[in-house]
Amino acid sequence: MQAIVRALRSWQETLKIANSQHSCRRETNQVEKILEGSESRGSSSPLKGLENITVAEIVSRNGDGSIGSSWLSCSADDAAIDTVQNMARNNVGSLVVLKPEGQQIAGIVTEGDYLKKIIADGRCPIYTKVGEIMTCEDKLVTVTSDTNILKAMQLMTENRIRHVPVIDGKLVGMISVVDVVKAVVKQQNGELERLNEYIKGESY
């Protein structure tokens, strides 16, 4: 009976993650369209103002306002089921995997890892460790806090990833494709407001 309950819970978590992954895929497509539009329009692109925005500014807008406040972590020895439940509980699509000594990153585990390497392969999430399904440190795509947001967008689309650790010697945060899209939307809204003010004659 307990095995059935565990299986049902695992299936519920899988459904939550599948829905979340579908949403993140839409965000990724948005970023790709924005970048494609930017290349086709050249200098008239609405992304022009983004060239002065860094990753640190996006990360700092999360949580309590300090850099590094938006990420959650786990250990390579944690059970995959605990990790996916942690993701679902906090409504996030990834967790950074930290080394035992603290803020040094060992890898990253995402909702996609769980779906592809646990559900699709028919593995037991209770007995499978995070270290068996995570993307290891040597294969990670990372940025620093002073990386330009356009460069971060490019890295995400080229590598087909939605979560990027921010590392300044040690792990200081995490940005997602959702953070990038929000930054673009905010920038575009600001441009529209300035144009409206200009049309109304409220600015020179």
Side-chain angles (χ1 to χ4, degrees):
M1 186 63 181
Q2 287 182 343
I4 294 173
V5 171
R6 282 198 211 99
L8 285 172
R9 284 179 181 165
S10 178
W11 178 244
Q12 287 174 333
E13 301 301 342
T14 301
L15 286 177
K16 286 181 185 177
I17 284 179
N19 288 333
S20 173
Q21 192 172 45
H22 178 68
S23 174
C24 284
R25 193 173 292 117
R26 287 202 311 270
E27 304 288 358
T28 304
N29 291 337
Q30 276 185 273
V31 169
E32 288 175 343
K33 287 177 182 176
I34 289 166
L35 285 173
E36 287 170 5
S38 170
E39 291 170 358
S40 65
R41 285 189 295 270
S43 60
S44 62
S45 166
L47 296 186
K48 190 172 177 62
L50 291 175
E51 61 197 15
N52 298 319
I53 299 178
T54 64
V55 165
E57 294 177 66
I58 292 179
V59 177
S60 67
R61 293 185 187 122
N62 293 312
D64 62 9
S66 62
I67 189 165
S69 62
S70 61
W71 53 272
L72 296 167
S73 64
C74 63
S75 164
D77 291 330
D78 291 345
I81 187 65
D82 294 333
T83 301
V84 78
Q85 286 173 347
N86 194 3
M87 288 186 205
R89 193 162 49 245
N90 290 283
N91 195 29
V92 296
S94 69
L95 297 177
V96 288
V97 185
L98 295 180
K99 294 178 180 177
E101 54 267 28
Q103 298 295 89
Q104 298 300 318
I105 190 168
I108 186 173
V109 61
T110 69
E111 58 197 10
D113 293 325
Y114 186 84
L115 288 171
K116 293 174 187 176
K117 301 173 185 178
I118 297 289
I119 302 303
D121 288 349
R123 298 169 75 175
C124 176
I126 300 172
Y127 300 111
T128 303
K129 302 293 184 183
V130 168
E132 299 174 50
I133 64 171
M134 71 180 186
T135 299
C136 294
E137 178 187 8
D138 58 347
K139 295 181 180 178
L140 280 181
V141 175
T142 64
V143 295
T144 60
S145 59
D146 61 356
T147 299
N148 180 272
I149 187 60
L150 294 178
K151 177 63 176 177
M153 291 170 68
Q154 184 181 6
L155 286 171
M156 286 181 177
T157 53
E158 286 178 353
N159 292 280
R160 305 295 297 173
I161 55 177
R162 297 188 299 276
H163 309 90
V164 179
V166 184
I167 298 180
D168 294 335
K170 64 178 182 179
L171 180 69
V172 295
M174 175 86 76
I175 62 166
S176 72
V177 68
V178 176
D179 298 321
V180 171
V181 170
K182 285 180 180 177
V184 173
V185 170
K186 182 171 182 176
Q187 176 66 25
Q188 290 178 331
N189 286 342
E191 291 292 336
L192 287 174
E193 286 176 11
R194 283 188 286 275
L195 284 172
N196 284 331
E197 288 175 3
Y198 177 78
I199 291 168
K200 293 174 183 177
E202 296 174 0
S203 63
Y204 293 100

